[in-house]
């Protein structure tokens, strides 16, 4: 799986959120300022070449469908992120966010409860 550019990731986020769709549908989900239609169309074509989406021609438009699940992408690249920036230590990752006050004691408690909860 190839790492996506920021623009491609943003487009994929919209595709995942909408579970696919036509360019105009995906564009409607994007925040202001909206990216140009042609930019999104070009980005989706690149994503298709990278096999992240599949398009089906319907009339004069293309309908895009995600081929990669959001969770699969996160799993693949979160490990690289932790490895590159935190020497493969998730403890260091959480510690960093705690020191930077990006995570609250309440959130840390919730994380601890999730970890301690038995898996089904």
């Amino acid at each position: 799986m190839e790492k996506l550019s920021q623009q491609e990731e943003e487009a994929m986020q919209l595709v995942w959120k909408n579970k696919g769709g036509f360019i105009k549908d995906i564009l409607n989900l994007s925040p202001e300022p909206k990216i140009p239609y042609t930019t999104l169309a070009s980005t989706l074509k690149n994503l298709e070449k990278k096999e992240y989406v599949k398009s089906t021609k319907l009339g004069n438009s293309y309908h895009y469908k995600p081929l990669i699940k959001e969770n699969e992408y996160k799993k693949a690249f979160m490990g690289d992120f932790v490895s590159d920036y935190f020497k493969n230590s998730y403890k260091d990752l959480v510690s960093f966010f705690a020191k930077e006050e990006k995570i609250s004691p309440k959130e840390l408690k919730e994380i601890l409860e999730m970890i301690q909860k038995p898996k089904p």
Side-chain angles (χ1 to χ4, degrees), residues 14-81:
L14 296 172
V15 170
W16 286 319
K17 185 177 180 179
N18 200 45
K19 296 178 176 63
F22 295 96
I23 294 173
K24 65 181 176 91
D25 300 327
I26 296 166
L27 195 58
N28 286 336
L29 293 174
S30 70
E32 294 293 338
K34 302 248 185 238
I35 58 174
Y37 182 97
T38 53
T39 302
L40 180 57
S42 175
T43 302
L44 289 170
K45 286 291 178 200
N46 289 341
L47 288 168
E48 187 171 25
K49 287 177 193 165
K50 292 180 178 183
E51 299 182 352
Y52 276 81
V53 298
K54 179 182 180 184
S55 70
T56 305
K57 187 166 181 155
L58 298 171
N60 292 332
S61 300
Y62 287 92
H63 185 271
Y64 291 89
K65 181 175 118 180
L67 294 176
I68 304 289
K69 292 181 180 165
E70 183 176 12
N71 204 35
E72 289 174 29
Y73 182 79
K74 285 180 181 177
K75 278 183 185 177
F77 293 104
M78 191 62 189
D80 289 345
F81 174 78

